Amino acid sequence: MLTPFTWDDLQYFLAVARTGQLSSAARTLRTSHATVSRRIDRLEFTLKAKLFERNPRGYELTTVGRRLVETVERIEAEAERLQSDISEGGSLLRGVVRISAPEGFSNFFFVERLKDLAVSHPNITVELITIQQIMALSRKEADVAVTLDPPKAGPYVSEKVMDYTLHIYAARSYLTGKPPITGKEDLLGHFFIGYVQDMIFSPGLDYLRDVHTGLRASFQSSSIFAQLTATRGGRGLCILPRYIAERFPELEMVLPDDVELRRGYWLTCHQDLADVPRIRSVMDFILTTSRVNERLFVRAE
Protein backbone atom coordinates (compact mmCIF):
# COMPACT_ATOMS: atom_id res chain seq x y z
CA MET A 1 0.00 0.00 0.00
CA LEU A 2 1.08 3.54 -0.72
CA THR A 3 1.73 5.81 2.24
CA PRO A 4 -1.28 8.18 2.33
CA PHE A 5 -0.75 11.85 1.67
CA THR A 6 -3.00 14.76 2.52
CA TRP A 7 -4.23 17.93 0.86
CA ASP A 8 -1.59 19.72 2.93
CA ASP A 9 1.12 17.79 1.07
CA LEU A 10 -0.31 19.02 -2.22
CA GLN A 11 -0.37 22.61 -0.95
CA TYR A 12 3.32 22.35 -0.13
CA PHE A 13 3.97 20.96 -3.59
CA LEU A 14 2.00 23.79 -5.22
CA ALA A 15 3.83 26.47 -3.24
CA VAL A 16 7.22 25.15 -4.37
CA ALA A 17 5.99 24.74 -7.95
CA ARG A 18 4.91 28.39 -8.02
CA THR A 19 7.93 29.93 -6.35
CA GLY A 20 10.71 27.54 -7.39
CA GLN A 21 12.32 27.98 -3.98
CA LEU A 22 11.90 26.16 -0.65
CA SER A 23 12.50 29.37 1.28
CA SER A 24 9.89 31.33 -0.67
CA ALA A 25 7.38 28.52 -0.30
CA ALA A 26 8.09 28.38 3.44
CA ARG A 27 7.39 32.11 3.80
CA THR A 28 4.16 31.74 1.84
CA LEU A 29 3.02 28.83 4.00
CA ARG A 30 4.38 30.38 7.20
CA THR A 31 6.46 27.36 8.07
CA SER A 32 10.10 26.31 7.96
CA HIS A 33 12.39 25.50 5.05
CA ALA A 34 12.96 22.02 6.54
CA THR A 35 9.22 21.30 6.79
CA VAL A 36 8.66 22.16 3.13
CA SER A 37 11.57 19.94 2.09
CA ARG A 38 10.28 17.06 4.20
CA ARG A 39 6.76 17.34 2.74
CA ILE A 40 8.07 17.36 -0.83
CA ASP A 41 10.27 14.33 -0.15
CA ARG A 42 7.30 12.50 1.38
CA LEU A 43 5.04 13.29 -1.57
CA GLU A 44 7.64 12.09 -4.08
CA PHE A 45 8.16 8.91 -2.07
CA THR A 46 4.42 8.29 -1.88
CA LEU A 47 3.84 8.87 -5.59
CA LYS A 48 7.02 7.02 -6.56
CA ALA A 49 7.78 9.88 -8.92
CA LYS A 50 10.30 12.70 -9.12
CA LEU A 51 8.38 15.98 -9.15
CA PHE A 52 11.29 18.45 -9.14
CA GLU A 53 14.80 18.75 -10.49
CA ARG A 54 17.01 20.31 -7.81
CA ASN A 55 19.67 22.72 -9.06
CA PRO A 56 21.50 25.83 -7.78
CA ARG A 57 18.72 28.07 -9.12
CA GLY A 58 16.03 26.24 -7.18
CA TYR A 59 13.37 23.64 -7.85
CA GLU A 60 12.23 23.10 -11.45
CA LEU A 61 9.23 20.95 -12.27
CA THR A 62 9.74 17.67 -14.08
CA THR A 63 7.28 16.50 -16.73
CA VAL A 64 5.40 14.54 -14.07
CA GLY A 65 5.46 17.57 -11.80
CA ARG A 66 3.95 19.81 -14.48
CA ARG A 67 1.11 17.35 -15.01
CA LEU A 68 0.50 17.19 -11.28
CA VAL A 69 0.33 20.99 -11.04
CA GLU A 70 -2.64 21.03 -13.40
CA THR A 71 -4.46 18.41 -11.33
CA VAL A 72 -3.68 20.05 -7.99
CA GLU A 73 -4.78 23.47 -9.21
CA ARG A 74 -8.15 22.03 -10.16
CA ILE A 75 -8.43 20.57 -6.66
CA GLU A 76 -7.39 23.92 -5.21
CA ALA A 77 -9.98 25.77 -7.28
CA GLU A 78 -12.76 23.48 -6.06
CA ALA A 79 -11.61 23.81 -2.46
CA GLU A 80 -11.59 27.59 -2.72
CA ARG A 81 -15.03 27.65 -4.33
CA LEU A 82 -16.34 25.59 -1.42
CA GLN A 83 -14.67 27.87 1.10
CA SER A 84 -16.01 30.93 -0.68
CA ASP A 85 -19.57 29.56 -0.61
CA ILE A 86 -19.33 28.67 3.06
CA SER A 87 -17.87 32.05 4.04
CA GLU A 88 -20.77 33.96 2.46
CA GLY A 89 -19.17 36.21 -0.10
CA GLY A 90 -15.55 35.21 0.09
CA SER A 91 -14.52 36.92 3.36
CA LEU A 92 -12.24 33.96 4.08
CA LEU A 93 -10.39 34.04 0.76
CA ARG A 94 -6.73 33.40 1.42
CA GLY A 95 -3.54 32.48 -0.38
CA VAL A 96 -0.96 33.96 -2.73
CA VAL A 97 -1.68 35.68 -6.04
CA ARG A 98 1.35 36.46 -8.20
CA ILE A 99 0.85 39.35 -10.62
CA SER A 100 3.09 40.32 -13.50
CA ALA A 101 2.60 43.93 -14.60
CA PRO A 102 4.51 46.69 -16.40
CA GLU A 103 6.74 48.88 -14.28
CA GLY A 104 4.74 52.05 -14.91
CA PHE A 105 1.33 50.56 -14.12
CA SER A 106 2.74 48.85 -11.02
CA ASN A 107 4.68 51.71 -9.46
CA PHE A 108 2.50 54.65 -10.41
CA PHE A 109 -0.96 53.18 -9.98
CA PHE A 110 -1.47 49.66 -8.65
CA VAL A 111 0.83 49.66 -5.60
CA GLU A 112 -0.76 52.85 -4.30
CA ARG A 113 -4.11 51.04 -4.15
CA LEU A 114 -3.00 47.81 -2.51
CA LYS A 115 -4.30 49.04 0.83
CA ASP A 116 -7.84 48.87 -0.58
CA LEU A 117 -7.30 45.26 -1.62
CA ALA A 118 -5.96 44.47 1.84
CA VAL A 119 -9.12 45.89 3.42
CA SER A 120 -11.46 43.76 1.31
CA HIS A 121 -9.28 40.61 1.29
CA PRO A 122 -6.85 40.73 4.24
CA ASN A 123 -5.79 37.09 3.85
CA ILE A 124 -4.64 37.36 0.24
CA THR A 125 -0.91 37.83 -0.23
CA VAL A 126 0.12 39.68 -3.40
CA GLU A 127 3.42 39.01 -5.17
CA LEU A 128 4.05 41.71 -7.78
CA ILE A 129 6.62 41.07 -10.51
CA THR A 130 7.63 44.14 -12.53
CA ILE A 131 9.79 42.91 -15.37
CA GLN A 132 10.28 43.96 -18.96
CA GLN A 133 8.88 40.83 -20.56
CA ILE A 134 5.66 38.90 -20.23
CA MET A 135 5.97 36.05 -17.78
CA ALA A 136 4.98 32.63 -19.00
CA LEU A 137 1.43 32.06 -17.82
CA SER A 138 1.58 28.63 -19.42
CA ARG A 139 4.24 27.63 -16.90
CA LYS A 140 2.38 29.42 -14.08
CA GLU A 141 5.24 31.85 -13.46
CA ALA A 142 2.45 34.32 -12.72
CA ASP A 143 -1.21 33.83 -11.92
CA VAL A 144 -2.34 37.09 -13.52
CA ALA A 145 -0.62 39.36 -16.03
CA VAL A 146 -1.27 42.98 -16.98
CA THR A 147 0.02 43.33 -20.53
CA LEU A 148 0.03 45.78 -23.43
CA ASP A 149 -1.44 43.20 -25.80
CA PRO A 150 -3.80 40.25 -25.34
CA PRO A 151 -2.35 36.80 -26.08
CA LYS A 152 -2.85 35.80 -29.69
CA ALA A 153 -3.41 32.12 -28.87
CA GLY A 154 -3.40 29.64 -26.03
CA PRO A 155 -5.61 28.57 -23.14
CA TYR A 156 -6.01 32.07 -21.70
CA VAL A 157 -8.78 34.33 -20.50
CA SER A 158 -8.16 37.97 -21.36
CA GLU A 159 -10.10 41.17 -20.77
CA LYS A 160 -9.41 44.78 -21.76
CA VAL A 161 -8.72 46.91 -18.70
CA MET A 162 -8.72 50.32 -20.39
CA ASP A 163 -6.81 52.61 -22.72
CA TYR A 164 -4.24 55.18 -21.73
CA THR A 165 -2.65 58.05 -23.60
CA LEU A 166 0.99 59.05 -24.03
CA HIS A 167 2.44 62.43 -24.96
CA ILE A 168 5.83 64.08 -25.38
CA TYR A 169 7.12 65.68 -22.21
CA ALA A 170 10.18 67.69 -21.26
CA ALA A 171 11.39 69.47 -18.17
CA ARG A 172 10.99 73.23 -18.31
CA SER A 173 14.69 73.45 -17.50
CA TYR A 174 15.42 71.64 -20.77
CA LEU A 175 13.07 73.76 -22.87
CA THR A 176 14.41 77.07 -21.53
CA GLY A 177 16.61 78.67 -24.15
CA LYS A 178 15.85 76.05 -26.80
CA PRO A 179 14.21 76.97 -30.13
CA PRO A 180 10.41 76.67 -29.93
CA ILE A 181 8.89 73.36 -31.00
CA THR A 182 5.98 74.16 -33.29
CA GLY A 183 5.75 70.93 -35.32
CA LYS A 184 7.02 67.38 -35.57
CA GLU A 185 9.96 68.35 -37.80
CA ASP A 186 11.31 70.52 -34.99
CA LEU A 187 11.65 67.39 -32.84
CA LEU A 188 14.57 66.16 -34.97
CA GLY A 189 16.85 68.79 -33.48
CA HIS A 190 16.33 67.64 -29.88
CA PHE A 191 17.67 64.94 -27.59
CA PHE A 192 15.23 62.11 -27.01
CA ILE A 193 14.90 59.54 -24.25
CA GLY A 194 13.39 56.12 -24.96
CA TYR A 195 13.56 52.34 -24.69
CA VAL A 196 16.57 50.25 -25.66
CA GLN A 197 15.64 49.40 -29.22
CA ASP A 198 16.56 45.72 -29.27
CA MET A 199 14.86 45.12 -25.90
CA ILE A 200 11.42 46.36 -26.90
CA PHE A 201 9.23 43.34 -26.16
CA SER A 202 6.00 44.79 -27.53
CA PRO A 203 5.43 46.78 -30.74
CA GLY A 204 3.31 49.15 -28.68
CA LEU A 205 6.45 50.42 -26.90
CA ASP A 206 8.08 51.60 -30.13
CA TYR A 207 6.78 55.10 -29.56
CA LEU A 208 9.32 57.18 -31.47
CA ARG A 209 8.53 55.61 -34.84
CA ASP A 210 4.87 56.44 -34.34
CA VAL A 211 5.69 60.13 -33.86
CA HIS A 212 8.34 60.55 -36.58
CA THR A 213 10.35 57.92 -38.44
CA GLY A 214 13.51 60.00 -38.09
CA LEU A 215 13.56 60.11 -34.29
CA ARG A 216 16.26 58.24 -32.38
CA ALA A 217 16.81 58.14 -28.64
CA SER A 218 20.20 59.39 -27.47
CA PHE A 219 19.58 57.95 -24.00
CA GLN A 220 17.95 54.53 -23.87
CA SER A 221 16.78 52.49 -20.90
CA SER A 222 14.61 49.43 -20.39
CA SER A 223 13.16 51.15 -17.29
CA ILE A 224 10.42 53.73 -17.60
CA PHE A 225 11.41 55.00 -14.16
CA ALA A 226 14.94 55.73 -15.45
CA GLN A 227 13.47 57.46 -18.49
CA LEU A 228 11.28 59.58 -16.24
CA THR A 229 14.19 60.50 -13.98
CA ALA A 230 16.31 61.53 -16.97
CA THR A 231 13.46 63.63 -18.34
CA ARG A 232 12.89 65.38 -15.02
CA GLY A 233 16.62 66.04 -14.86
CA GLY A 234 16.53 67.93 -18.16
CA ARG A 235 18.22 65.30 -20.34
CA GLY A 236 15.76 65.66 -23.21
CA LEU A 237 12.29 64.89 -24.54
CA CYS A 238 10.48 61.66 -23.69
CA ILE A 239 7.19 59.99 -24.56
CA LEU A 240 5.51 59.14 -21.27
CA PRO A 241 2.08 57.95 -20.16
CA ARG A 242 -0.05 60.88 -19.12
CA TYR A 243 -0.96 59.30 -15.77
CA ILE A 244 2.72 59.23 -14.83
CA ALA A 245 4.01 62.52 -16.27
CA GLU A 246 1.25 64.72 -14.88
CA ARG A 247 2.35 63.94 -11.35
CA PHE A 248 5.42 66.12 -11.87
CA PRO A 249 4.77 69.85 -12.26
CA GLU A 250 8.26 70.46 -13.67
CA LEU A 251 7.29 68.55 -16.81
CA GLU A 252 5.57 70.25 -19.73
CA MET A 253 3.63 68.58 -22.54
CA VAL A 254 5.18 69.26 -25.95
CA LEU A 255 2.99 69.54 -29.08
CA PRO A 256 -0.16 68.67 -27.10
CA ASP A 257 -2.39 69.17 -30.16
CA ASP A 258 -0.21 67.19 -32.56
CA VAL A 259 1.03 64.15 -30.63
CA GLU A 260 -1.15 61.76 -28.68
CA LEU A 261 -0.53 58.02 -28.69
CA ARG A 262 -3.09 55.59 -27.37
CA ARG A 263 -2.30 52.20 -25.91
CA GLY A 264 -4.23 49.70 -23.82
CA TYR A 265 -3.77 47.47 -20.82
CA TRP A 266 -5.10 43.91 -20.84
CA LEU A 267 -5.64 41.53 -17.95
CA THR A 268 -4.85 37.88 -18.67
CA CYS A 269 -4.71 34.60 -16.80
CA HIS A 270 -4.60 30.92 -17.63
CA GLN A 271 -8.10 29.52 -18.14
CA ASP A 272 -7.50 26.92 -15.41
CA LEU A 273 -7.12 29.73 -12.88
CA ALA A 274 -9.83 32.12 -14.06
CA ASP A 275 -12.45 30.80 -11.64
CA VAL A 276 -10.19 30.31 -8.63
CA PRO A 277 -11.88 32.64 -6.11
CA ARG A 278 -8.79 34.40 -4.76
CA ILE A 279 -7.46 35.01 -8.29
CA ARG A 280 -10.84 36.10 -9.61
CA SER A 281 -11.19 38.53 -6.71
CA VAL A 282 -7.81 40.13 -7.47
CA MET A 283 -8.63 40.36 -11.18
CA ASP A 284 -11.96 42.01 -10.37
CA PHE A 285 -10.17 44.46 -8.07
CA ILE A 286 -7.71 45.44 -10.82
CA LEU A 287 -10.49 45.88 -13.39
CA THR A 288 -12.79 47.86 -11.11
CA THR A 289 -10.12 50.08 -9.59
CA SER A 290 -8.59 50.89 -12.95
CA ARG A 291 -11.89 51.76 -14.58
CA VAL A 292 -13.02 53.93 -11.67
CA ASN A 293 -9.82 55.93 -12.17
CA GLU A 294 -10.00 56.03 -15.98
CA ARG A 295 -9.79 59.83 -15.97
CA LEU A 296 -6.16 59.51 -14.85
CA PHE A 297 -5.25 57.48 -17.91
CA VAL A 298 -6.99 59.18 -20.81
CA ARG A 299 -6.66 62.85 -21.57
CA ALA A 300 -9.98 64.65 -21.35
CA GLU A 301 -11.40 65.86 -24.65
Side-chain angles (χ1 to χ4, degrees):
M1 293 181 59
L2 291 176
T3 304
F5 63 89
T6 67
W7 167 234
D8 282 348
D9 293 327
L10 297 178
Q11 287 181 304
Y12 280 84
F13 162 74
L14 206 52
V16 176
R18 286 171 171 163
T19 64
Q21 302 286 337
L22 291 181
S23 56
S24 299
R27 285 194 298 271
T28 299
L29 297 168
R30 298 180 181 178
T31 188
S32 69
H33 177 285
T35 298
V36 177
S37 178
R38 185 169 60 252
R39 291 294 192 112
I40 295 300
D41 289 344
R42 184 171 81 174
L43 185 59
E44 289 185 324
F45 176 78
T46 301
L47 297 177
K48 298 294 187 290
K50 191 173 185 180
L51 303 176
F52 295 99
E53 294 288 352
R54 282 77 164 169
N55 60 52
R57 293 177 298 175
Y59 279 50
E60 293 185 4
L61 287 164
T62 62
T63 301
V64 174
R66 286 193 291 272
R67 289 203 301 269
L68 184 60
V69 165
E70 296 176 1
T71 300
V72 175
E73 284 183 335
R74 287 195 293 271
I75 297 172
E76 179 189 49
E78 292 302 322
E80 290 195 356
R81 286 191 193 98
L82 176 61
Q83 184 183 58
S84 181
D85 290 341
I86 293 172
S87 63
E88 298 181 347
S91 61
L92 295 181
L93 290 177
R94 65 178 65 249
V96 177
V97 177
R98 176 174 288 188
I99 304 167
S100 168
E103 184 186 16
F105 181 87
S106 299
N107 294 339
F108 294 97
F109 180 74
F110 181 65
V111 169
E112 295 174 347
R113 289 158 179 84
L114 279 177
K115 62 182 183 298
D116 299 325
L117 179 62
V119 169
S120 57
H121 299 296
N123 295 315
I124 290 179
T125 299
V126 173
E127 295 180 350
L128 180 61
I129 312 298
T130 57
I131 57 177
Q132 299 306 313
Q133 69 269 11
I134 300 171
M135 297 193 76
L137 292 172
S138 61
R139 297 199 300 271
K140 308 295 172 53
E141 293 176 357
D143 299 311
V144 178
V146 178
T147 63
L148 299 178
D149 305 289
K152 293 181 172 59
Y156 306 112
V157 175
S158 189
E159 186 171 352
K160 180 76 170 286
V161 180
M162 64 189 166
D163 287 333
Y164 65 98
T165 58
L166 304 100
H167 307 266
I168 301 174
Y169 290 91
R172 290 185 176 86
S173 62
Y174 173 82
L175 295 172
T176 300
K178 298 287 194 307
I181 302 173
T182 59
K184 291 183 180 180
E185 291 299 323
D186 296 333
L187 298 173
L188 298 175
H190 287 266
F191 289 105
F192 258 87
I193 297 161
Y195 283 100
V196 178
Q197 193 64 35
D198 61 0
M199 296 182 68
I200 292 177
F201 61 87
S202 170
L205 295 178
D206 199 2
Y207 306 136
L208 297 183
R209 292 180 188 274
D210 284 355
V211 174
H212 193 297
T213 56
L215 292 179
R216 298 291 182 273
S218 56
F219 170 68
Q220 301 179 2
S221 173
S222 62
S223 166
I224 195 172
F225 189 81
Q227 294 178 37
L228 173 66
T229 301
T231 307
R232 294 178 64 199
R235 180 66 182 85
L237 306 178
C238 187
I239 298 173
L240 294 167
R242 171 183 176 267
Y243 74 90
I244 295 176
E246 291 200 351
R247 291 166 168 256
F248 304 97
E250 68 271 27
L251 297 183
E252 181 176 316
M253 191 183 293
V254 176
L255 298 179
D257 297 326
D258 296 333
V259 178
E260 178 180 281
L261 306 181
R262 186 175 287 257
R263 300 292 188 267
Y265 287 127
W266 292 78
L267 191 63
T268 303
C269 77
H270 196 283
Q271 65 183 17
D272 290 347
L273 302 180
D275 293 324
V276 174
R278 75 176 190 285
I279 293 175
R280 185 69 253 176
S281 66
V282 171
M283 292 178 69
D284 288 343
F285 174 82
I286 293 172
L287 290 168
T288 301
T289 303
S290 299
R291 290 166 180 172
V292 165
N293 291 279
E294 187 173 6
R295 59 184 175 76
L296 300 175
F297 293 84
V298 181
R299 186 184 178 200
E301 298 296 336

